[in-house]
Amino acid sequence: MRKIIVGSRRSKLAMTQTNWVIDQLKKIGAPFTFDLKEIVTKGDEILNVTLSKVGGKGLFVKEIEQAMLNKEIDIAVHSMKDMPAVLPDGLVIGTIPEREDPRDVLISKENRSLRDLPAGAIVGTSSLRRKAQILNIRPDLEIKWIRGNIDTRLKKLETEEYDAIILAAAGLSRMGWQAEVVSEYLEPSDCIPAVGQGALAIECRKDDEEILQWLAKLNCPKTNRAVQAERAFLNKIGGSCQVPVGGYAVINAEDDVVLNAFVASGNGKTIFKETVVGKDAVAVGEKAGERLMERGAGKLINEILKQLE
Ligand SMILES: NCc1[nH]cc(CCC(=O)O)c1CC(=O)O
């Protein structure tokens, strides 16, 4: 039997996701044995800085992709939302399994919802996307940066000066946290998820036909189409991590892709939202990007990027 080397970040979430995929492959009878190889990425090492300031997207995958190109590993399981728009030559996303709950959740002291938090309450998040959307609804709240893995953040809610934190529902449930810890599931009408949130990307070499053939059996066509639309949108607007942006697509009963996307100013005062419906996922994503740019998102993005210079 062929031995497959699976590369993974060492975080508990990464390991959990990786082991889940290995289990799925075993379950469908893939004729492989598996070896896990831990890889430390830049994103794991730099914990004290906002991600958007240290390079953002790609930070959690670059070293892993290099190891794959060097044939030190054969496959890797990533959170789709950590994946840059373009993959290095020679690598592909071999499969996208069914998406988990894509929503963000609010976890607060006294189990308060977003609209019930006390005036001026402190909310922990390091995501520009979450910050802008939260401030759009509750401009009085104070957003305080927080980093670290999910367990660390939950602990900080108890030990540090936060009244609430925001996390992805998918990460929480994959880590075995029960829905009871959640104070409120934020609906996409309030807080549009990150592009790819809740989905996994399993990456391998383009020419590894044997692996590709088995990975294909784990593929979820609906999730695939939805994520394609979201990523086409992100690509169109330039996919920068410095700009509050989000996109979430579903497949409706008519088999159309329905994409909701937004671009906002950092303080959430200006927020442009678009909904685009259509059969062709990539076209839907690109159209959402084009429309938002026409409405002024381009100007907004340029202003944000200029301030960073
Ligand atoms: N930002 C880090 C990150 N990358 C992927 C997830 C888990 C959720 C997912 O797979 O989308 C998380 C945690 C979070 O945002 O709370």
Side-chain angles (χ1 to χ4, degrees):
M1 264 206 289
R2 181 176 166 195
K3 185 165 86 178
I4 304 288
I5 318 273
V6 189
S8 177
R9 293 168 53 200
R10 66 179 166 191
S11 81
K12 219 152 108 186
L13 179 63
M15 284 292 172
T16 305
Q17 293 178 166
T18 300
N19 281 317
W20 181 84
V21 170
I22 292 174
D23 283 347
Q24 296 302 306
L25 285 169
K26 284 181 181 164
K27 220 182 257 177
I28 58 172
F32 306 131
T33 59
F34 298 92
D35 247 9
L36 250 175
K37 188 177 157 90
E38 282 185 24
I39 295 173
V40 179
T41 69
K42 209 168 166 190
D44 298 307
E45 282 181 328
I46 310 171
L47 285 174
N48 53 346
V49 196
T50 305
L51 281 187
S52 56
K53 289 195 181 128
V54 288
K57 281 234 179 308
L59 220 63
F60 292 114
V61 304
K62 217 167 154 197
E63 286 87 349
I64 292 176
E65 291 183 331
Q66 196 52 55
M68 200 176 294
L69 289 167
N70 295 347
K71 302 208 168 177
E72 291 156 27
I73 62 169
D74 299 304
I75 67 173
V77 180
H78 307 280
S79 294
M80 180 60 84
K81 79 168 172 182
D82 296 335
M83 294 301 279
V86 185
L87 270 63
D89 244 3
L91 302 183
V92 284
I93 295 177
T95 198
I96 306 178
E98 190 176 351
R99 178 179 237 165
E100 289 242 4
D101 192 332
R103 290 174 295 182
D104 288 313
V105 299
L106 186 83
I107 303 172
S108 64
K109 288 183 177 146
E110 297 174 22
N111 217 20
R112 303 234 196 179
S113 67
L114 180 60
R115 286 170 177 84
D116 291 334
L117 284 174
I122 299 171
V123 179
T125 177
S126 49
S127 144
L128 300 176
R129 174 186 63 82
R130 289 170 180 155
K131 176 184 176 186
Q133 293 186 104
I134 295 307
L135 286 178
N136 185 260
I137 296 169
R138 286 287 309 268
D140 61 294
L141 296 179
E142 186 184 326
I143 305 294
K144 196 172 147 194
W145 298 116
I146 186 168
R147 279 216 57 202
N149 61 37
I150 293 169
D151 290 339
T152 307
R153 292 186 197 203
L154 285 166
K155 192 169 243 160
K156 283 183 177 177
L157 175 61
E158 314 221 313
T159 58
E160 294 184 16
E161 207 192 337
Y162 296 101
D163 297 298
I165 57 171
I166 303 169
L167 294 171
L172 267 185
S173 71
R174 287 195 196 113
M175 297 276 290
W177 288 90
Q178 304 295 312
E180 288 90 82
V181 302
V182 172
S183 307
E184 184 183 11
Y185 285 86
L186 301 174
E187 291 306 322
S189 48
D190 278 341
C191 190
I192 296 180
V195 164
Q197 183 158 308
L200 297 178
I202 308 176
E203 194 176 24
C204 66
R205 282 181 299 274
K206 216 178 233 163
D207 60 4
D208 198 333
E209 275 160 38
E210 192 186 19
I211 285 181
L212 279 167
Q213 178 199 325
W214 284 98
L215 286 183
K217 297 180 200 286
L218 303 182
N219 191 55
C220 171
K222 281 189 179 169
T223 303
N224 224 292
R225 265 177 95 204
V227 167
Q228 258 187 46
E230 295 164 16
R231 284 170 64 79
F233 156 68
L234 194 60
N235 216 0
K236 195 81 199 173
I237 60 152
S240 164
C241 247
Q242 340 273 4
V243 179
V245 32
Y248 171 54
V250 295
I251 312 302
N252 69 12
E254 284 74 48
D255 206 39
D256 284 317
V257 182
V258 182
L259 171 66
N260 281 291
F262 87 96
V263 176
S265 61
N267 60 14
K269 275 187 187 146
T270 310
I271 186 158
F272 298 109
K273 288 191 186 183
E274 271 293 342
T275 304
V276 178
V277 183
K279 287 276 185 278
D280 181 338
V282 172
V284 164
E286 290 179 344
K287 197 165 181 182
E290 279 158 18
R291 279 201 200 153
L292 284 170
M293 294 303 247
E294 277 166 22
R295 283 175 51 199
K299 201 169 150 233
L300 210 151
I301 291 170
N302 284 335
E303 276 166 16
I304 293 176
L305 295 180
K306 217 154 138 196
Q307 279 169 12
L308 292 168
E309 280 171 4

